[in-house]
Amino acid sequence: MCGIIGYVGKKAASPVLLEGLRRLEYRGYDSSGVAVLGNSTVEVRKKKGKIDEGLAHEIQSRPVNGDVGIGHTRWATHGPPCDENSHPHLDQSEKIAVVHNGVIENFDVLKQRLLKAGHQFHSTTDTEVLAHLIGEHYAKRRSGKSESNTLTLAVCDALREVIGTYGLAVICTEQPDVIVGARRGSPLIIGIGDGENFLASDANAIVAHTQRVVYLNDYDVATVTRARFDVMNLGTDTAKVQISQLEFQAEDSQRGDFEHFMLKEIFEQPRTVENALRGRVDHEGATARFGGLNMSSAELRSIERIVIAASGTSWHAALVGEYLIEEFAHLPVEVEFAHEFCYRNAPLQRDTVLLVLSQSGETADTLAALREAKRRGHRALAIVNVVGSTIARESDGGIYMHAGPEIGVASTKAFVSTLTVLSLLAVHLGRMRMLSAGRAQEILKALEAAPKQIEALLKQNEEIKRIAVKYAQAEDFFFLSRGYNFPIALEGALKLKEISYIHAEGYSAAEMKHGPIALIDSKTPTVFLVPQDSMYDKTMANLAMIRARKGPIIAIATEGDEQIRKVAEDVIYLPKTIEPLNPILASVPLQLFAYHIATARGCDVDKPRNLAKSVTVE
Ligand code: AGP
């Protein structure tokens, strides 16, 4: 949610900023803007809408020159999307420009004070208030002894007055070789170049320029020039600075020949599942092994209960994780929405471990759950995709998905990678308890077969497209299943909702009869996940109830199931696997189904309305 970038170097800043913003656009696309330091002035260009529909034209018609600048792509929190509310925002003196990701909770109190002091505001954003606050402190500091770090000190003064979250970058006409960055709650990294340096919300923005980065911690304030960077911390005497090497290349976050990132990421899944399994399958011990759990076997054995907290698609993965861990390890698992876990004061028994799931590793709700569990003295583990993300760094231990950058706002490959990692984790925990070597081997072999099976599924793309187009004009959908595939029904409905704006409900096939079945008619198609598993007969009975009410049925069934053809309008077949791994395979056709419906309706699948990839506010 909101992407920020800063550049100080020898190149023209505006193309670097614009390219970086394009790579950050998945974080928000309500508006975008840049501010570049020119000859004693700061030039601002900003525009409502996506970069190529607004800002790019604006810069083309009114170029900005200079080699120091900041940029922003916005997901609106305070104030509707419009040119005025776009970032960067200037202070009262118009010497200081600020871009900001986060929420300043006490902005109204600060604004009233500044208004009384004669400040004038041009937007309804909290960020403009922050810019004015920094400007006020800068003016005070400057009227004393002016030093080269005056801007940094003014930012620190302002942040001490602020309640809320921020990742921000600040420039000032009077300190033309400096960008000041700061973070609390919203991610910010420094990219280290040769004679040039960068600030960015995430590595995607700068990976084309450098592989060396510093992940800033909360309360860090960074002063970045062409030649160096210094980091101080508002809370402690010294900041912890560690230079890390990025593990991906710029090409990894390119679309290639695919029409959309989402489609590319769906098609990457045979490889991403392989990557999630690589080096983790231990056939000899009939178990899975992990490098980063940071728990001894004795500690893992003493876990009495696991709470899994996550949001959105990751929450659906958590539901599958509950089934897996409870079946393989006989360990009680509870799944919580991360935001509910934080505030409802749920009792946590002594040997409870919190497991959080997050693609981005930056979701504010999930991060808050992790911090809450740690505050209460519990161990907190994480399954995360983005290496070096805040959740990855703050958890006590964890497992990376190794899915590579996921740019499409709708999560696909990260979901399937999470399921893969959860299956391995459940085997690992199970082997410390009651899972037999024989059963564990069977699961591991089935997992290793999954990449090839996903490849086979992807070959059905054209057929899935044909079916999707047939139903593309429906206004309501149900996604139904039972057992392991119930969470996949929820995920299938979410995928369709978020990228096609069609109303879709994921529901338990069994629960339908207790009320929602009233909504079924001949215009409401149901996607029925009905693989040949232990629930098959019961799910088929539920399917018959929909059929009896004339609801059209698209079945996701196991290959070889001929019976299903008699009761469903359309059938998509899944390769055979063991019951607990059906969700990994069943996810793929649902992703393609949602994708093709959305494109048939002309929706922008990579940048759906109102959404942002990583939601870094609570
Ligand atoms: C997925 O398609 C969503 N856009 C969204 O629900 C997402 O899964 C959620 O915001 C959690 O993100 P995370 O996995 O990065 O924490």
Side-chain angles (χ1 to χ4, degrees):
M1 143 178 323
C2 297
I4 66 180
I5 180 163
Y7 175 74
V8 49
K10 295 175 196 136
K11 296 178 193 143
S14 97
V16 176
L17 297 176
L18 206 56
E19 185 48 34
L21 289 179
R22 284 198 176 96
R23 288 171 167 274
L24 286 177
E25 208 177 7
Y26 69 98
R27 299 180 67 94
Y29 31 83
D30 288 333
S31 65
S32 54
V34 297
V36 173
L37 291 178
N39 278 342
S40 333
T41 55
V42 55
E43 293 285 324
V44 176
R45 303 284 182 272
K46 51 188 191 177
K47 217 62 200 153
K48 183 184 165 191
K50 292 173 187 151
I51 293 171
D52 286 329
E53 290 159 14
L55 181 64
H57 296 297
E58 184 71 4
I59 292 181
Q60 206 174 22
S61 55
R62 292 200 303 139
V64 274
N65 299 316
D67 49 19
V68 179
I70 54 179
H72 186 271
T73 174
R74 178 169 189 244
W75 188 74
T77 54
H78 283 77
C82 60
D83 292 351
E84 297 72 36
N85 285 342
S86 311
H87 298 214
H89 289 285
L90 297 177
D91 78 320
Q92 181 71 16
S93 72
E94 302 196 342
K95 289 178 188 161
I96 290 172
V98 177
V99 290
H100 165 229
N101 169 24
V103 174
I104 306 300
E105 290 169 16
N106 59 337
F107 86 102
D108 206 28
V109 178
L110 296 167
K111 189 171 183 173
Q112 295 313 319
R113 192 189 84 200
L114 291 161
L115 280 169
K116 275 197 195 126
H119 288 244
Q120 288 177 337
F121 293 92
H122 308 285
S123 78
T124 52
T125 65
D126 51 346
T127 305
E128 192 184 14
V129 176
L130 181 60
H132 280 239
L133 190 66
I134 293 170
E136 187 187 57
H137 284 287
Y138 181 80
K140 272 190 215 153
R141 290 242 171 216
R142 201 172 148 274
S143 63
K145 203 167 125 230
S146 179
E147 311 241 356
S148 60
N149 60 352
T150 306
L151 181 62
T152 307
L153 295 175
V155 170
C156 294
D157 293 341
L159 294 181
R160 286 196 180 96
E161 287 198 62
V162 154
I163 300 169
T165 55
Y166 49 81
L168 57 92
V170 187
I171 51 174
C172 174
T173 54
E174 294 183 347
Q175 305 221 300
D177 303 314
V178 176
I179 306 176
V180 176
R183 83 154 268 174
R184 179 177 180 264
S186 302
L188 193 65
I189 62 173
I190 301 172
I192 308 164
D194 187 10
E196 59 182 5
N197 285 312
F198 305 81
L199 279 171
S201 297
D202 70 46
N204 282 312
I206 55 172
V207 65
H209 302 279
T210 180
Q211 296 273 308
R212 297 174 72 219
V213 299
V214 172
Y215 295 98
L216 294 177
N217 294 307
D218 275 353
Y219 300 105
D220 278 352
V221 179
T223 309
V224 183
T225 64
R226 288 178 187 83
R228 55 179 292 150
F229 64 88
D230 295 286
V231 185
M232 56 184 283
N233 189 279
L234 286 173
T236 56
D237 288 344
T238 47
K240 284 190 210 131
V241 175
Q242 199 190 331
I243 297 177
S244 307
Q245 198 71 22
L246 294 178
E247 285 184 2
F248 68 102
Q249 312 290 327
E251 304 79 74
D252 295 339
S253 43
Q254 309 259 288
R255 202 156 35 81
D257 292 337
F258 287 93
E259 208 176 322
H260 294 99
F261 277 108
M262 182 181 176
L263 192 62
K264 176 193 176 222
E265 287 155 8
I266 293 171
F267 272 80
E268 278 175 350
Q269 291 177 113
R271 189 161 56 83
T272 50
V273 169
E274 251 165 37
N275 289 346
L277 294 173
R278 182 159 298 120
R280 290 172 173 161
V281 175
D282 173 4
H283 281 297
E284 219 179 311
T287 187
R289 54 169 174 247
F290 304 101
L293 280 180
N294 299 338
M295 287 179 82
S296 68
S297 302
E299 286 172 326
L300 285 166
R301 252 190 300 273
S302 70
I303 299 174
E304 295 277 347
R305 183 166 163 258
I306 295 179
V307 174
I308 313 183
S311 312
T313 286
S314 293
W315 185 79
H316 295 151
L319 294 174
V320 180
E322 176 180 15
Y323 285 46
L324 289 165
I325 295 171
E326 291 196 339
E327 179 177 338
F328 296 173
H330 274 200
L331 245 175
V333 175
E334 200 170 326
V335 175
E336 294 263 10
F337 279 121
H339 50 86
E340 291 301 313
F341 172 79
C342 299
Y343 300 109
R344 73 182 186 87
N345 215 8
L348 291 182
Q349 297 95 318
R350 219 161 53 118
D351 290 309
T352 300
V353 163
L354 180 83
L355 173 64
V356 298
L357 313 179
S358 176
Q359 186 288 127
S360 61
E362 302 292 351
T363 301
D365 291 328
T366 312
L367 179 59
L370 177 111
R371 287 180 177 161
E372 173 63 9
K374 285 180 73 173
R375 190 190 63 74
R376 290 165 69 172
H378 290 271
R379 204 182 282 260
L381 302 176
I383 297 176
V384 170
N385 190 32
V386 177
V387 176
S389 55
T390 309
I391 291 177
R393 285 180 298 128
E394 291 197 15
S395 57
D396 295 312
I399 309 170
Y400 278 122
M401 298 173 198
H402 296 310
E406 190 180 67
I407 308 293
V409 167
S411 184
T412 53
K413 63 176 180 175
F415 177 67
V416 168
S417 294
T418 312
L419 300 184
T420 309
V421 170
L422 283 166
S423 308
L424 288 172
L425 180 64
V427 169
H428 187 66
L429 295 169
R431 289 292 286 139
M432 292 176 168
R433 292 172 171 78
M434 39 62 72
L435 188 68
S436 73
R439 174 70 173 149
Q441 287 289 15
E442 189 192 4
I443 299 162
L444 294 172
K445 282 194 186 130
L447 272 170
E448 286 178 319
K452 283 246 147 18
Q453 294 179 312
I454 295 174
E455 250 165 47
L457 267 169
L458 292 170
K459 291 203 176 110
Q460 296 185 53
N461 183 33
E462 280 308 312
E463 172 62 2
I464 295 170
K465 182 176 177 181
R466 185 193 65 75
I467 298 170
V469 169
K470 179 171 160 191
Y471 295 96
Q473 299 317 317
E475 286 310 322
D476 301 281
F477 267 89
F478 271 98
F479 285 73
L480 303 180
S481 196
R482 299 177 70 137
Y484 270 100
N485 286 301
F486 161 55
I488 305 306
L490 301 184
E491 174 60 10
L494 176 63
K495 281 293 84 91
L496 187 65
K497 271 187 271 215
E498 62 182 343
I499 61 170
S500 73
Y501 321 137
I502 295 175
H503 166 245
E505 286 214 40
Y507 232 85
S508 152
E511 189 64 20
M512 268 304 272
K513 59 186 178 288
H514 297 292
I517 199 164
L519 298 171
I520 295 293
D521 61 19
S522 61
K523 291 198 202 88
T524 309
T526 296
V527 177
F528 231 106
L529 290 113
V530 56
Q532 277 174 329
D533 58 14
S534 60
M535 302 304 295
Y536 183 74
D537 291 341
K538 290 201 183 301
T539 319
M540 284 296 270
N542 299 144
L543 187 150
M545 296 172 200
I546 304 299
R547 184 92 203 140
R549 274 123 194 122
K550 302 204 171 8
I553 288 166
I554 304 134
I556 313 288
T558 305
E559 62 191 3
D561 181 354
E562 288 305 323
Q563 197 188 337
I564 193 76
R565 285 210 178 274
K566 296 179 196 141
V567 286
E569 268 69 23
D570 294 279
V571 183
I572 300 167
Y573 281 116
L574 301 173
K576 282 193 180 118
T577 187
I578 57 170
E579 181 165 345
L581 300 193
N582 267 325
I584 291 180
L585 302 183
S587 301
V588 179
L590 296 193
Q591 297 165 351
L592 286 170
F593 185 73
Y595 172 81
H596 289 304
I597 288 197
T599 50
R601 289 170 74 108
C603 302
D604 184 348
V605 293
D606 281 339
K607 296 183 194 114
R609 71 182 182 206
N610 305 340
L611 298 186
K613 180 73 182 160
S614 148
V615 184
T616 54
V617 292
E618 280 192 60

